Amino acid sequence: MGDMSNSDFYAKNQRNEGNHAAGFGCSVMELRSLMELRGTEAVVKLQEDYGGVEGLCKRLKTSPTEGLAGAQTDLDKRKELYGKNLIPPKKPKTFLQLVWEALQDVTLIILEIAALISLGLSFYHPPGGTGGESCGAAAGGVEDEGEADAGWIEGAAILLSVVCVVLVTAFNDWSKEKQFRGLQSRIEQEQKFQVVRGSQVIQLPVADIVVGDIAQIKYGDLLPADGVLIQGNDLKIDESSLTGESDHVRKAADKDPMLLSGTHVMEGSGRMVVTAVGVNSQTGIIFTLLGAGSEEEEKTEKKDCSHPPIHPIATIATDGAAGINAPGSASLINGKMQDPNMESNQIKVKKPDGAAAMEMQPLKSAEGGEADEKERKRVSVPKKEKSVLQGKLTKLAVQIGKAGLLMSAITVIILVLFFAIDNFVMQKRPWLPECTPIYIQYFVKFFIIGVTVLVVAVPEGLPLAVTISLAYSVKKMMKDNNLVRHLDACETMGNATAICSDKTGTLTTNRMTAVQCYVGDVHYKEIPDPGALPPKSLELLINAISLNSAYTTKILPPDKEGGLPKQVGNKTECGLLGLVLDLKRDYQPIRNQIPEEKLYKVYTFNSVRKSMSTVIKLPDGSFRMYSKGASEIVLKKCSHVLNEVGEARVFRPRDKDEMVKKVIEPMACDGLRTICVGYRDFPGDPEPNWDDENNILSDLTAICVVGIEDPVRPEVPDAIQKCQRAGITVRMVTGDNINTARAIAIKCGIIHPGEDFLCIDGKEFNRRIRNEKGEVEQERIDKVWPKLRVLARSSPTDKHTLVKGIIDSTMVDQRQVVAVTGDGTNDGPALKKADVGFAMGIAGTDVAKEASDIILTDDNFSSIVKAVMWGRNVYDSISKFLQFQLTVNVVAVIVAFTGACITQDSPLKAVQMLWVNLIMDTFASLALATEPPTESLLKRKPYGRNKPLISSTMTKNILGHGVYQLIIIFTLLFAGEQIFDIDSGRNAPLHSPPSEHYTIIFNTFVMMQLFNEINARKIHGERNVFDGIFRNPIFCSIVFGTFAMQIVIVQFGGKPFSCQPLDLEKWMWCVFLGLGELVWGQVIASIPNARLRFLRRAGQLTQKDECPEEDVNEENEEIDHAERELRRGQILWFRGLNRIQTQIEVVNTFKSGTSFQGAGALRRQSSTTSQTQDVTNVSSPSHVSLSNALSSPTSTTAATAPPTTGQC
């Protein structure tokens, strides 16, 4: 769909104005103006003009309960009349625009100008042909007319190669853009929404929603269209994307029923009738106003726009798509603009970086004042610093560029001076006017040589290599279930040092099943027979579960025979509904009896309440409230409990404690999530004040406690072990209770018994990190996070605080790079703050996906490990490319420079240099950037932010290969004519024909690059450079392709490429010298880095860092459990002995009165540390201490215990 311009739109809508005849009672414009109202004004307008929501539904020919019939003709008619739910995308850049952009490159422009001058001059012939002699050496050696005429070829060839480079660059950009659009559309197709059609609830792609549809909305949804609320429970919407108000707005059918596209449901659930879609929705209006036009157009449009612009919807944006959902700031009052800063803010939406504009600031209150406005503007700068790699590369490219510029300037100056001195000083020739063009031609030639040196020196292939590598990785990561939304996230992931993961759904399968329950004073270890339970309790339990859960949650028959039943909706509720089915009952009839609209009041689940309650009106006019939630929270509110016959008995605090110890903790220690179900009856008269939540949600009667199992995904323990081997700490952050969390963490391998780690809950975490005033202090966080492995019962703020604390920490020398997984709406801030945010593709809410960088399409933790592997691979690919690139650069620049200074002419001609540039930049970046990752990438520690891009091994390789190539080339340059017995190509005059001598040099140079490209495949000093070479078909085809092209150029390139065809023998020599590269590579690999002291500084790496720490850890890992037990015994024994010894020593010292000194010092030190450690263990019960000392290399006691053996 192309972009429709504004005028089109209004014209089209005007036509529709009178279109009531089409059979619907409202026109587009009427609905549009209705959606601009808010609050009571909207309610009044609905009542007066439409007769309430029911009246509106009638006019739109839809039923509030059954939805549209879903007949295709009807749907098509609606789409035609009210539009489709699509916002036309901005037109992509055309290929020509991309070509124009590629032409803006400075070095290319300089080359083009030089080539044009050279072309112009080559057509100029000095008058009267006599001047030749008097101009001396300058004109000498032009053999015949034919050769002189060929002077234009060089200029033309340079222009042609520039065109090649430009086309290749433009094509790369174009395919990248295309990939992004594909990704974008895939993300959009994946966004589905629940709609009622023909009284069935179905999932529809957002684009298929039409006006008149009845949509079901629930917590975490991103609303896909504008609508009017029909019925809602406790609905709160975050409209900050439209109004900039950070406070959540309460919506109710009788107070404020207007729901707008692009806003987020933060709490509750409900149903709405869709009134505007696509370009007619509030968000669409803004998009139309933004249009595809330039910013100037936007300004003028905004001045005369008839509809107040608000902020755009977010269809989940990739980097490529313009940034969306800028922190909004237009407060709308009566549909009038209330915002002086709107204009500048609006333009801001067009930030090219999705991340920048999609910042959401849940933690900032925005009152809409001007000062606040400025503040917010400052905040919406791009969310992340440059990715590690980009930062390093930019720095490197600038440095190389400067060096190249210097070299090329010196080259030109030397050539010009040499020529001038030789001609005008040594041979004392006068400057004759008729010779001027010839001299200028020389100067242009020198200039071209200089520019060529610059072109070869500047690695413009770097950005290309990064782009190709990232784009390739992103494409492949799709297969590994990683949908990357921001390109740099992929590479940042390779540097990750910490992963904070959710438990439910990521580490576990997210298939909840009730496996234990406690009913009527009996703890059943497996689900009992319904006959065994007191009938009263059973009845209450079945009703409580069936009614007090979202009606969208269901258990459907399995897709294929013998499969597991399909769970739809909230998984914990599915577990409870499963319990109902296990008790041989059905929840559907009960729900049919009391449909959703008859529920009197619903307190939906949120992260503060941690419980959900539903009130129903009983036939006798009284009320009953069913409640369910986290067991320790709901039990606190219970004053009674049902006994073995189903009667309520008083539930005293002592009983509660006993229940926690006997029932809840054992369940939690089995890794079960415990849910308590309760109820409370209220009199019908007087009706309770339902808004007084604290009094309503108290004095409950507990019916039962259910233990729900969510098994660990089978592949997770292995994935976590890989992470730990790769130097990445995995932390679990969950809302579950601490015992459940710890049990699951042990099953996953996040914590190992006997290690020194922390397992704490949100309360304890806050107690430790906040000072007396309740402010978070970085020093306090620094004491907690290094040992923290499990954070239970955590609120979203805790998650955000933890992530921020780890990122800002300066304790460790490398800044930590943190990845976070999240699925809930409330995870948004943490996902935003993290270096890489992973959202769950299946269980994740739209809000979470919005804030994330990568979406895990299978919600599986092991996909994160794949992301780490790809990230590290990107980094390595760039390093491989750099190693290759810099070798070529160094050699080509030195050859051109020294050649020019000694022989007044570069041995490698401009066109040849451009060809070399093309192989080494474009082709090599393709070949080396598409190496597939291997498992060995996960066997090393992360590189970290401070490690230089070029390691000492790489420096060694670059210098080593550089030396080899220079020796060969200079030997050929100065002794080639004797070796091959051919004419020397040195000091040839201006338009002389190409010589065999220089062709051999060029050919050998290219051959050496080709074979060095194979060397460049390994950067960690591996021996076997051919390892896995056939797994990368692109690499093979590029190497062979380049070889074939080289043959063509040398044999048939002729004058433009300054090549003379070579015979087979000379070819064999060239290839042989090239092959020498592989042998030489082995020689270099044999030189240990430690010998090359000077490399240390070049790579800024000390020997110590290079020794991998794995060896140390692996030894520890291999100790089996029996040995562990033994060690634990030994350590405790040493501790005991130690203490006795210290005490004896103290007594002795007092007796003798001497000072504390001597042999006991070490022992004393070790025992005091062990004592202090024991004290900390006792004082904080949540600190898991299974003998701190055991097998943990950091623990002091373990370190100091062995020396004491001799002393006892």
Side-chain angles (χ1 to χ4, degrees):
M1 246 178 105
D3 204 290
M4 309 198 187
S5 70
N6 258 355
S7 50
D8 262 10
F9 238 88
Y10 292 124
K12 193 167 162 194
N13 292 333
Q14 251 52 52
R15 281 206 305 283
N16 288 344
E17 235 2 296
N19 216 339
H20 287 214
F24 298 111
C26 325
S27 70
V28 175
M29 291 315 277
E30 281 169 22
L31 287 174
R32 235 169 118 151
S33 54
L34 173 68
M35 289 320 293
E36 272 157 26
L37 304 174
R38 299 281 172 280
T40 40
E41 207 182 348
V43 180
V44 173
K45 170 97 169 160
L46 265 173
Q47 274 318 106
E48 287 175 359
D49 290 14
Y50 298 93
V53 184
E54 280 74 27
L56 180 65
C57 289
K58 275 205 190 75
R59 286 214 202 170
L60 289 173
K61 299 203 165 162
T62 181
S63 143
T65 47
E66 292 172 12
L68 297 174
Q72 198 52 51
T73 46
D74 177 46
L75 296 178
D76 291 343
K77 195 154 115 195
R78 286 174 193 271
K79 278 186 186 164
E80 187 188 349
L81 191 59
Y82 296 112
K84 292 189 174 127
N85 197 18
L86 289 175
I87 289 169
K90 249 177 70 183
K91 283 202 186 76
K93 284 185 178 155
T94 59
F95 188 69
L96 287 175
Q97 280 169 308
L98 292 169
V99 166
W100 178 242
E101 277 176 19
L103 277 169
Q104 311 297 312
D105 188 16
V106 189
T107 39
L108 286 180
I109 293 174
I110 297 174
L111 260 185
E112 286 154 28
I113 294 170
L116 288 172
I117 296 174
S118 157
L119 260 181
L121 288 173
S122 66
F123 291 125
Y124 174 86
H125 295 299
T130 53
E133 280 315 302
S134 55
C135 298
V142 177
E143 277 106 32
D144 55 33
E145 272 310 292
E147 283 298 345
D149 287 348
W152 63 273
I153 290 184
E154 183 161 41
I158 292 178
L159 281 181
L160 193 72
S161 43
V162 167
V163 169
C164 272
V165 172
V166 167
L167 286 177
V168 169
T169 317
F171 179 74
N172 273 314
D173 286 346
W174 180 75
S175 56
K176 184 174 95 184
E177 175 95 359
K178 204 170 116 208
Q179 246 176 356
F180 263 132
R181 300 227 160 230
L183 189 65
Q184 185 66 18
S185 62
R186 171 166 167 180
I187 293 176
E188 280 165 11
Q189 282 155 10
E190 284 196 346
Q191 218 183 345
K192 294 225 170 42
F193 210 80
Q194 287 198 329
V195 178
V196 182
R197 288 229 176 131
S199 52
Q200 288 294 314
V201 181
I202 55 170
Q203 293 262 344
L204 266 191
V206 170
D208 293 349
I209 293 175
V210 294
V211 170
D213 259 325
I214 305 296
Q216 290 202 339
I217 54 178
K218 59 180 188 311
Y219 153 88
D221 283 342
L222 175 85
L223 298 182
D226 292 356
V228 179
L229 188 64
I230 300 173
Q231 172 264 328
N233 307 319
D234 213 0
L235 198 59
K236 285 190 187 158
I237 306 281
D238 171 15
E239 292 191 346
S240 61
S241 55
L242 291 188
T243 61
E245 288 297 331
S246 60
D247 294 340
H248 299 166
V249 186
R250 277 203 113 99
K251 297 281 180 186
D254 50 354
K255 295 206 179 67
D256 182 2
M258 296 307 191
L259 300 171
L260 305 175
S261 57
T263 58
H264 291 122
V265 183
M266 300 312 272
E267 252 182 62
S269 58
R271 284 207 318 280
M272 71 169 186
V273 55
V274 176
T275 53
V277 293
V279 268
N280 295 310
S281 66
Q282 293 298 308
T283 303
I285 295 170
I286 301 150
F287 263 112
T288 327
L289 289 173
L290 280 175
S294 63
E295 298 188 357
E296 285 70 44
E297 279 170 49
E298 282 170 39
K299 281 186 187 150
T300 50
E301 272 183 21
K302 242 165 262 129
K303 291 199 177 84
D304 55 45
C305 67
S306 55
H307 288 276
I310 325 142
H311 275 279
I313 196 170
T315 44
I316 298 177
T318 27
D319 243 351
I324 301 184
N325 230 356
S329 58
S331 52
L332 278 167
I333 298 177
N334 303 348
K336 308 272 188 299
M337 281 306 302
Q338 288 292 110
D339 187 354
N341 288 350
M342 193 61 208
E343 197 152 289
S344 53
N345 222 39
Q346 198 66 48
I347 293 164
K348 200 170 213 121
V349 180
K350 286 196 60 174
K351 272 271 179 53
D353 180 343
M358 277 161 40
E359 184 77 278
M360 64 184 218
Q361 297 127 11
L363 307 173
K364 198 189 202 79
S365 81
E367 302 319 327
E370 276 194 54
D372 213 53
E373 195 55 62
K374 293 192 180 67
E375 173 78 331
R376 200 163 326 111
K377 223 166 263 178
R378 210 165 46 243
V379 176
S380 81
V381 294
K383 98 166 178 174
K384 297 193 174 160
E385 45 195 298
K386 254 198 189 139
S387 80
V388 190
L389 190 61
Q390 282 166 335
K392 289 179 179 178
L393 281 178
T394 320
K395 212 161 118 194
L396 187 75
V398 169
Q399 288 167 345
I400 296 177
K402 283 182 185 160
L405 201 61
L406 190 73
M407 290 291 272
S408 61
I410 295 175
T411 313
V412 174
I413 293 168
I414 288 180
L415 284 170
V416 171
L417 282 177
F418 200 99
F419 176 77
I421 291 172
D422 186 46
N423 266 323
F424 305 126
V425 180
M426 310 289 281
Q427 306 186 17
K428 299 193 171 52
R429 286 214 178 80
W431 181 299
L432 299 172
E434 63 268 29
C435 293
T436 308
I438 293 183
Y439 293 149
I440 288 180
Q441 239 174 318
Y442 261 97
F443 289 143
V444 169
K445 178 183 161 188
F446 297 152
F447 182 64
I448 288 180
I449 291 174
V451 173
T452 321
V453 171
L454 178 64
V455 171
V456 175
V458 174
E460 62 273 34
L462 266 186
L464 190 69
V466 178
T467 310
I468 291 177
S469 184
L470 287 173
Y472 171 77
S473 303
V474 166
K475 208 168 169 181
K476 292 283 190 224
M477 281 168 81
M478 294 278 276
K479 292 198 178 88
D480 284 340
N481 304 309
N482 283 294
L483 201 147
V484 181
R485 297 182 50 228
H486 299 134
L487 264 188
D488 56 352
C490 155
E491 162 261 313
T492 311
M493 212 36 225
N495 284 315
T497 53
I499 297 176
C500 296
S501 170
D502 265 357
K503 174 179 83 71
T504 312
T506 315
L507 300 172
T508 58
T509 54
N510 206 6
R511 259 203 80 86
M512 307 273 188
T513 32
V515 288
Q516 296 186 18
C517 64
Y518 175 88
V519 190
D521 292 345
V522 187
H523 183 174
Y524 296 97
K525 291 287 186 177
E526 41 206 45
I527 302 302
D529 192 61
L533 301 180
K536 272 189 190 164
S537 306
L538 183 62
E539 211 43 53
L540 274 167
L541 176 63
I542 303 294
N543 280 326
I545 292 175
S546 306
L547 300 173
N548 184 29
S549 53
Y551 278 30
T552 47
T553 304
K554 299 189 184 64
I555 292 184
L556 304 176
D559 286 342
K560 47 182 184 288
E561 279 296 305
L564 294 165
K566 217 161 93 180
Q567 298 187 339
V568 181
N570 180 318
K571 297 298 195 267
T572 310
E573 289 179 351
C574 286
L576 292 169
L577 291 176
L579 173 68
V580 171
L581 299 175
D582 288 343
L583 293 169
K584 316 278 187 290
R585 303 292 281 275
D586 191 5
Y587 57 88
Q588 204 50 55
I590 302 173
R591 284 184 174 181
N592 295 346
Q593 209 176 332
I594 306 182
E596 200 165 2
E597 37 296 349
K598 287 213 183 130
L599 298 177
Y600 198 78
K601 171 101 179 113
V602 179
Y603 299 94
T604 50
F605 180 90
N606 64 27
S607 57
V608 181
R609 287 189 191 126
K610 289 229 188 275
S611 68
M612 171 181 178
S613 312
T614 304
V615 181
I616 55 168
K617 201 166 186 172
L618 297 173
D620 62 0
S622 64
F623 298 99
R624 172 169 291 168
M625 177 179 76
Y626 293 115
S627 203
K628 70 164 193 289
S631 53
E632 59 261 50
I633 289 166
V634 176
L635 279 178
K636 274 197 193 111
K637 298 175 178 165
C638 290
S639 56
H640 293 79
V641 63
L642 295 183
N643 61 12
E644 60 280 1
V645 289
E647 300 294 335
R649 66 172 166 84
V650 178
F651 192 44
R652 293 171 308 227
R654 302 218 271 281
D655 301 336
K656 283 184 196 171
D657 294 342
E658 191 177 345
M659 186 148 167
V660 167
K661 277 203 186 66
K662 296 263 171 70
V663 180
I664 293 173
E665 282 186 0
M667 280 188 185
C669 290
D670 289 342
L672 304 184
R673 170 179 277 191
T674 53
I675 303 284
C676 178
V677 183
Y679 77 102
R680 179 182 175 184
D681 287 332
F682 296 97
D685 189 43
E687 187 174 328
N689 170 15
W690 298 115
D691 290 337
D692 178 10
E693 232 180 272
N694 289 343
N695 284 331
I696 298 283
L697 295 180
S698 62
D699 203 16
L700 305 174
T701 305
I703 305 171
C704 86
V705 174
V706 184
I708 295 182
E709 181 182 40
D710 183 6
V712 172
R713 288 176 179 263
E715 61 278 4
V716 162
D718 188 39
I720 286 182
Q721 201 186 355
K722 277 185 190 160
C723 280
Q724 288 164 343
R725 252 209 322 263
I728 302 169
T729 311
V730 182
R731 294 182 174 82
M732 180 160 101
V733 182
T734 173
D736 254 341
N737 100 25
I738 182 128
N739 295 326
T740 311
R742 187 184 297 137
I744 298 280
I746 291 175
K747 281 184 190 168
C748 292
I750 291 178
I751 53 183
H752 302 287
E755 280 181 1
D756 181 20
F757 54 77
L758 272 181
C759 253
I760 53 179
D761 56 11
K763 249 199 202 126
E764 171 70 10
F765 176 67
N766 280 307
R767 193 185 64 70
R768 290 186 179 206
I769 63 168
R770 291 178 192 275
N771 59 16
E772 296 69 51
K773 295 183 195 146
E775 296 158 344
V776 177
E777 283 186 3
Q778 187 62 42
E779 301 85 81
R780 288 171 182 249
I781 295 186
D782 284 346
K783 285 187 188 135
V784 176
W785 74 259
K787 287 187 178 178
L788 182 70
R789 291 292 176 274
V790 176
L791 180 57
R793 281 276 175 255
S794 67
S795 69
T797 342
D798 295 340
K799 196 171 189 175
H800 182 264
T801 312
L802 175 67
V803 172
K804 186 174 181 307
I806 298 180
I807 289 180
D808 295 347
S809 172
T810 48
M811 265 178 66
V812 277
D813 43 356
Q814 295 279 13
R815 158 165 144 27
Q816 294 276 310
V817 179
V818 183
V820 168
T821 69
D823 51 4
T825 304
N826 41 25
D827 289 330
L831 289 170
K832 269 257 174 292
K833 178 68 195 162
D835 294 288
V836 182
F838 285 93
M840 301 297 137
I842 304 168
T845 56
D846 298 339
V847 186
K849 291 179 187 173
E850 198 55 55
S852 69
D853 302 295
I854 297 181
I855 296 174
L856 294 178
T857 48
D858 62 346
D859 287 14
N860 193 336
F861 186 85
S862 58
S863 304
I864 299 180
V865 182
K866 297 257 176 59
V868 173
M869 205 154 85
W870 276 107
R872 292 186 172 190
N873 191 50
V874 168
Y875 201 96
D876 277 9
S877 297
I878 303 302
S879 297
K880 288 171 190 174
F881 173 67
L882 261 177
Q883 177 177 310
F884 174 69
Q885 170 92 13
L886 292 177
T887 313
V888 187
N889 279 7
V890 169
V891 175
V893 170
I894 293 177
V895 167
F897 176 70
T898 44
C901 299
I902 298 169
T903 66
Q904 292 88 65
D905 183 9
S906 164
L908 297 172
K909 301 289 179 284
V911 182
Q912 295 175 350
M913 290 275 219
L914 284 167
W915 162 240
V916 169
N917 207 29
L918 195 72
I919 357 178
M920 68 186 202
D921 275 0
T922 314
F923 296 157
S925 61
L926 250 177
L928 292 168
T930 51
E931 287 275 310
T934 56
E935 284 280 328
S936 62
L937 286 169
L938 291 175
K939 295 210 173 92
R940 61 171 173 76
K941 300 277 175 278
Y943 281 143
R945 288 180 169 260
N946 317 348
K947 179 176 182 294
L949 257 183
I950 303 172
S951 66
S952 50
T953 313
M954 285 167 63
T955 318
K956 179 179 76 176
N957 288 343
I958 292 170
L959 295 178
H961 289 294
V963 167
Y964 173 80
Q965 296 185 8
L966 285 173
I967 291 172
I968 299 285
I969 284 181
F970 283 135
T971 310
L972 287 177
L973 180 59
F974 296 114
E977 67 271 35
Q978 287 107 357
I979 301 173
F980 289 108
D981 190 24
I982 44 178
D983 297 336
S984 165
R986 290 196 300 283
N987 301 334
L990 194 55
H991 294 304
S992 55
S995 66
E996 260 192 295
H997 183 191
Y998 274 19
T999 307
I1000 292 178
I1001 294 177
F1002 165 59
N1003 200 16
T1004 308
F1005 182 68
V1006 173
M1007 287 303 127
M1008 290 195 291
Q1009 299 327 324
L1010 263 186
F1011 288 104
N1012 195 27
E1013 198 167 337
I1014 298 175
N1015 275 330
R1017 290 183 67 246
K1018 302 290 177 209
I1019 48 171
H1020 297 299
E1022 295 93 331
R1023 290 263 177 203
N1024 182 4
V1025 288
F1026 292 101
D1027 181 35
I1029 194 164
F1030 295 113
R1031 282 219 313 275
N1032 185 359
I1034 302 180
F1035 185 88
C1036 300
S1037 49
I1038 283 180
V1039 170
F1040 288 122
T1042 315
F1043 189 73
M1045 282 291 294
Q1046 181 64 17
I1047 296 179
V1048 173
I1049 287 174
V1050 170
Q1051 297 307 95
F1052 311 107
K1055 183 76 188 163
F1057 277 97
S1058 322
C1059 285
Q1060 184 78 18
L1062 300 177
D1063 57 32
L1064 189 64
E1065 186 197 354
K1066 296 194 180 70
W1067 261 103
M1068 294 316 286
W1069 272 106
C1070 294
V1071 175
F1072 172 72
L1073 291 172
L1075 274 170
E1077 268 289 359
L1078 292 176
V1079 182
W1080 184 244
Q1082 295 301 318
V1083 175
I1084 295 177
S1086 315
I1087 304 172
N1089 291 5
R1091 285 289 156 81
L1092 305 170
R1093 298 256 165 221
F1094 65 93
L1095 288 185
R1096 292 246 188 113
R1097 263 190 47 253
Q1100 289 172 350
L1101 235 200
T1102 47
Q1103 195 55 27
K1104 193 172 83 235
D1105 302 351
E1106 278 232 303
C1107 135
E1109 291 151 38
E1110 294 160 0
D1111 319 331
V1112 193
N1113 298 350
E1114 272 168 9
E1115 285 167 29
N1116 285 348
E1117 278 166 22
E1118 281 161 13
I1119 301 165
D1120 64 354
H1121 288 285
E1123 209 169 325
R1124 268 195 190 165
E1125 289 302 321
L1126 200 83
R1127 274 205 183 181
R1128 184 179 308 170
Q1130 281 178 340
I1131 285 163
L1132 291 172
W1133 170 241
F1134 289 145
R1135 253 190 219 175
L1137 278 178
N1138 238 354
R1139 278 192 197 158
I1140 296 168
Q1141 271 180 320
T1142 312
Q1143 282 156 359
I1144 292 172
E1145 214 141 83
V1146 173
V1147 174
N1148 289 343
T1149 315
F1150 274 122
K1151 274 186 191 164
S1152 61
T1154 53
S1155 61
F1156 276 96
Q1157 260 165 1
L1162 192 146
R1163 234 167 312 153
R1164 196 171 311 112
Q1165 210 179 345
S1166 77
S1167 65
T1168 42
T1169 44
S1170 67
Q1171 272 167 328
T1172 47
Q1173 270 189 330
D1174 285 322
V1175 173
T1176 51
N1177 294 346
V1178 176
S1179 62
S1180 73
S1182 53
H1183 193 300
V1184 178
S1185 107
L1186 299 165
S1187 150
N1188 275 344
L1190 185 69
S1191 77
S1192 124
T1194 51
S1195 155
T1196 7
T1197 36
T1200 48
T1204 57
T1205 47
Q1207 293 161 352
C1208 43

